[in-house]
Each structure stands twice: as C-alpha cells, then as structure tokens.
Amino acid sequence: MHTVVVGTSGLTASDVLAVARGGARVELSGEAVAALAAAREIVDALAAKPEPVYGVSTGFGALATRHISQELRAQLQRNIVRSHAAGLGPRVEREVVRALMFLRLKTVCSGHTGVRPEVAQTMADVLNAGITPVVHEYGSLGCSGDLAPLSHCALTLMGEGDAEGPDGTVRPAGELLAEHGIAPVELREKEGLALLNGTDGMLGMLFMALDDLEMLYKSADITAALSLEALLGTDKVLAPELHAIRPHPGQGASAANMLAVLRGSQLTGHHQDDAPRVQDAYSVRCAPQVAGAGRDTLAHARLVAERELASAVDNPVVLPDGRVESNGNFHGAPVAYVLDFLAIAAADLGSIAERRTDRLLDKNRSHGLPPFLADDAGVDSGLMIAQYTQAALVSEMKRLAVPASADSIPSSAMQEDHVSMGWSAARKLRSAVDNLTRIIAVELYAATRAIELREGLTPAPASQSVIEAVRAAGVEGPGPDRFLAPDLAAADAFVRGGGLVAAAEKVTGPLQ
C-alpha cells in the first residue's frame, strides 16, 4: 500500500487525495517528530510560568480572560473537545473526514502547534487503522477553524464518541481504538485547541473538488464537441489562431480539446447545407470561452489550495524564537472564496451544456433531427423528460452558486464577529460537482443518440470511440421509448468513473 510520509512541510495535493480517497498509510518523518518535540518544550516552559498565555493557561474565545490553574488544564483541554463536538445533521463522507484528519496532522507536524509527538502518532495510527470519526454536516462557520468537525475527530483520539470501523460499522470509538491497540490520548496544555483550529475540512473538500472538476471539464469539452457534431456545426471557430488573439489559457485548452475530438469528422461543416446559418448558436460556438473561463478559475483555486496546504493554521502558534502568539490565520476567507468561485463556474458550465441538449431535442433548431430524438414522435416522447431532469439539475446548481462566503453570522459573544462560512461553501460545492456530472451525462446521452441518427455521415474517430464505450457501459442507443432512468444512471456512472475521458483519449491522446 502507498505510504505518505508527513514532514514539517512539502505535502502535495496528490498526498491528500492518496490518504483521503486511496486509503494510503501515513508515517511521521524524523524531522516532524523532532519539530514536534522542540515546539512542545516551548509550550511546557510557558505552562510552568505564572503569566497567562492564550490557549496554554487560559480559557478560549470569549472566555480567554480567565487564567486556568495547572490542576485544571487537562480538564480544560478535554472539555474544549467535548463541548465543541456539537455537530448535527447527516454524517459527512468518509473521504472528507480522512482529509480533515490528515490535513490537521499535517499542521500539527509543522512544529508550530505545540502538540506532543505521541498525539500526532495517534492521529496517524487512527488513519492507518481505517477508523473514521463520525462527523456531522453542520457545526462549522469556517472561522477559528472547522471547529465542530475537527472536535469530533479529536473526540475519537480521546476514545470517546462514535466512529466507523474499517468494516463500515459505527461503534463507540473507545472499542475501536482498543481493538487496534491504540491507546486514547490524554490531552495536555494547548493540545485540545491545536486539534480544532484549522481550515482542514474546507481545504480537503477543495482538493477533492479540484480533482473531480479537472476530469469534468475535459468531459464537458468532449460532450460539447459531440453536440457540435450532432448539430452539423462548424469546427472553424476552434482554430488555434482565433483563440491565440484572446490568450486566456483555459479557453485555448478547451478549444484544442474540442478540435482533437472532432478531427476526422464528416458531420462538421454542414451549416451551409439545406438549412443555411451564418453562425452556430452561442451554446455551441462559445463553448471554449465558457469552459475556458472555468478552467482558469480552477487554476486560481489550485494556487490558493497549494498555498493553504503549505500553511500552518492554528491559534496561537509556536514560533521558532520561542514566542507563542495569537493571530487570525484560521480565518477561512481565502479558501471560502475559491470554493464559491468554483460553484459559480460549475453552474455556468452546466447551464451551457443544458442549452446544447435542448437544441438537440428541438426540431426547429436541431437541423434535421427528429423531435426529442424520438423513434416515432408522438407515440414516443424520446428524451423530452431527460432534458427536464437536466434542467432541474441546472436550476439547483444556480441556487448552489449563491456564495456562502458573502454571508457571515457572529458567534462567541461577538468575539468571533466575522466568519468565512467556508465549510458551507465546500459542502455546497460537493453537491454542485455531483450535479454537474449528471448534467454532462445527459448531454452525452443526447449527443451520442443524435450522432447515431445522422445516417450516412461518419462521426470523428474519437466520437465513435465514445459511442462504442458508452454503449458497452450499458447506455442504449436510439429506439422506441423505454424505462429511461437506468440509461441515465449508466451514463452518469460512465462520466463519473472517467470512462468518457478515457474513451476519447484512446484516439486523441491526453487531453488538456
């Protein structure tokens, strides 16, 4: 099994995905253990002094003015975890919780948190045992960290609360730790706070969304090309020299992908035949401009994600010169913004895909295709309601595009009076990514059927590869009406699993 070694820095997006989605094992480097020990010495020295230090010998948040005596500090750290583990709602997905825990471990190992090496090792042991704390949908405002989600993870380290075992069964965390020979941690000064104070949940979901969207943007370029082909459109608008004079990188990449898919098609260029048109509709002609803008948004979001991955997000932080200073690095605004940007871009990509699908089904705009791509229109309804489903998904995506980061609600007796709502932005982005996958699947279903209805004209080799692969995946071609939901589900699984991109790339080579 793949192993990710956690040092004081240097982790990559691939490392996060390997642990979250691939179940990779986690090891602490010698460098990380040394940094943990050095930072802990600083915290222990401050804890022994009579002067109060936030997070070490004081209460938290609006209660930070109280100095806590030494005999109560272990209780203080336990209590912050117990009281903050206050999430409600459905359980969060296993991959999200693993990302959450792994990214918190990453910051702990930076040497800026003051956590003991044995606590970090327990975090790694829990991940490696396949134990997943039960984390709930609601509880994070995206400021002072993803507090409730991280608290539920810390509760598991203490042997309290519930967790899911490697067999998928939810049981008391203490039982699961005991079965795997993991001793519960007894938290000391600073440690409870350090386990809770990070943007780890929203960052983990950002990395997973970037991974999914990279594949979906390629998928959308492919389905846009298939729709252009099915509508007998022109591929001249994809010429590299046209996109070079508006040098947005994403636009050029999307146009190049569409051109690669369409290479060798006998269906393109018929826009001046029986029903002449000067230009194709915007949803066809401007596909690279819309998808390209989304790709550039992805690039910006990836830059922000990589910066956050290189960060040590905690409060207070331990500095190399021995100071323990309070700051606001836990505020999730940088991550929250790009999560919202991605939801906006994804909604627009879904919207333009739905417009192409609608055009394929409308006999007045499809340039010779049967109404709704039906076998016997009137007797058969064809894909009429498949487009309704797609339209409902698009409408939902527009609602999901309303930014969470523009909202804020005060908490902690007005001490935390401006919050990022980054966790909420991440949660709605996950829904948007799911919906975008389904929207692309419906366009794929319509476009492949439409191409097959263009008898006497041969599609591009890449298009033919896609059609053969999607039919092999259980998505049926043209014919009389049938129970449509299984076909759409199969198309969704084909896109979601990367089958669409793989089928096109068998002919085109790697797409951008």
Side-chain angles (χ1 to χ4, degrees):
M1 181 180 289
H2 179 59
T3 298
V4 174
V5 178
V6 183
T8 58
S9 63
L11 288 179
T12 66
S14 296
D15 293 329
V16 178
L17 295 171
V19 174
R21 289 182 158 170
R25 289 186 58 80
V26 177
E27 290 182 5
L28 308 186
S29 71
E31 172 199 31
V33 172
L36 285 159
R40 186 64 208 181
E41 286 182 7
I42 295 171
V43 171
D44 285 341
L46 290 170
K49 293 182 177 181
E51 298 84 8
V53 177
Y54 177 70
V56 177
S57 52
T58 70
F60 310 114
L63 303 176
T65 55
R66 179 177 171 182
H67 182 257
I68 307 298
S69 61
Q70 287 194 354
E71 64 270 16
L72 293 176
R73 290 178 190 170
Q75 181 180 340
L76 171 70
Q77 300 300 322
R78 288 194 300 271
N79 284 351
I80 190 176
V81 172
R82 289 167 175 166
S83 66
H84 285 43
L88 281 175
R91 284 178 56 196
V92 171
E93 304 85 358
R94 182 176 185 269
E95 65 178 14
V96 172
V97 180
R98 286 184 62 83
L100 177 73
M101 294 177 66
F102 176 68
L103 287 168
R104 195 70 221 138
L105 176 60
K106 178 270 303 183
T107 283
V108 163
C109 287
S110 70
H112 291 293
T113 67
V115 169
R116 288 169 294 152
E118 50 264 44
V119 176
Q121 185 59 57
T122 301
M123 297 172 75
D125 291 343
V126 168
L127 282 166
N128 292 339
I131 298 171
T132 307
V134 171
V135 173
H136 299 279
E137 180 82 17
Y138 302 105
S140 174
L141 299 180
C143 203
S144 290
D146 290 318
L147 287 174
L150 282 164
S151 297
H152 282 275
C153 295
L155 201 65
T156 294
L157 300 179
M158 292 165 50
E160 300 181 18
D162 293 326
E164 180 186 294
D167 63 353
T169 302
V170 174
R171 295 167 53 197
E175 292 181 11
L176 288 167
L177 294 185
E179 283 185 6
H180 290 85
I182 302 171
V185 298
E186 296 183 8
L187 299 175
R188 288 169 47 180
E189 293 94 341
K190 177 71 170 66
E191 291 179 334
L193 187 60
L195 294 176
L196 315 185
N197 227 329
T199 55
D200 309 291
M202 62 183 91
L203 179 59
M205 287 185 274
L206 174 56
F207 275 120
M208 287 183 278
L210 289 168
D211 186 48
D212 293 337
L213 287 168
E214 183 176 352
M215 183 269 291
L216 288 175
Y217 270 84
K218 291 180 184 178
S219 300
D221 290 341
I222 295 166
T223 57
L226 293 172
S227 291
L228 183 152
E229 211 173 6
L231 291 166
L232 305 180
T234 177
D235 58 359
K236 289 183 178 180
V237 296
L238 305 173
E241 58 270 24
L242 294 177
H243 296 277
I245 61 175
R246 195 191 191 195
H248 294 287
Q251 178 179 322
S254 287
N257 284 347
M258 289 181 66
L259 205 55
V261 172
L262 292 170
R263 191 166 292 117
S265 174
Q266 293 183 10
L267 281 81
T268 58
H270 292 272
H271 61 298
Q272 293 294 342
D273 290 353
D274 295 337
R277 55 201 133 128
V278 177
Q279 300 169 321
D280 291 318
Y282 281 12
S283 61
V284 178
R285 182 168 26 125
C286 301
Q289 284 76 9
V290 171
R295 284 171 171 273
D296 291 342
T297 303
L298 278 178
H300 172 62
R302 191 172 291 110
L303 176 63
V304 171
E306 289 169 354
R307 287 171 176 165
E308 191 73 358
L309 185 61
S311 304
V313 179
D314 194 16
N315 181 50
V317 292
V318 181
L319 297 174
D321 61 8
R323 287 180 294 148
V324 175
E325 297 285 359
S326 183
N327 70 90
N329 281 350
F330 49 71
H331 199 288
V335 181
Y337 291 168
V338 295
L339 287 162
D340 280 334
F341 296 165
L342 291 176
I344 292 168
D348 201 32
L349 187 64
S351 179
I352 197 171
E354 183 274 331
R355 288 293 78 207
R356 289 190 295 265
T357 303
D358 182 67
R359 185 166 289 271
L360 289 167
L361 305 189
D362 183 353
K363 70 181 182 65
N364 296 312
R365 295 179 292 141
S366 67
H367 307 287
L369 291 169
F372 302 105
L373 305 182
D375 186 63
D376 184 4
V379 175
D380 293 312
S381 294
L383 305 191
M384 179 190 296
I385 309 304
Q387 185 268 331
Y388 280 36
T389 299
Q390 191 187 39
L393 289 164
V394 169
S395 187
E396 175 69 11
M397 287 195 70
K398 292 174 183 177
R399 292 189 289 272
L400 292 168
V402 175
S405 58
D407 189 17
S408 179
I409 189 164
S411 58
S412 193
M414 293 300 286
Q415 176 72 6
E416 298 169 9
D417 60 350
H418 182 84
V419 296
S420 77
M421 302 307 295
W423 173 274
S424 299
R427 296 306 295 166
K428 69 183 184 65
L429 178 59
R430 283 180 71 84
S431 297
V433 169
D434 271 348
N435 285 351
L436 179 60
T437 308
R438 298 176 182 119
I439 289 165
I440 291 171
V442 175
E443 182 181 18
L444 171 68
Y445 189 48
T448 52
R449 177 184 281 214
I451 288 172
E452 288 181 302
L453 290 170
R454 295 289 190 189
E455 296 179 359
L457 294 172
T458 304
S463 303
Q464 189 59 46
S465 177
V466 167
I467 292 169
E468 290 170 0
V470 77
R471 298 291 172 255
V475 182
E476 295 188 32
D481 281 356
R482 55 182 173 269
F483 180 25
L484 210 56
D487 272 2
L488 297 178
D492 175 38
F494 182 71
V495 173
R496 194 175 300 270
L500 172 57
V501 174
E505 288 186 336
K506 280 178 63 177
V507 176
T508 64
L511 295 171
Q512 299 181 47

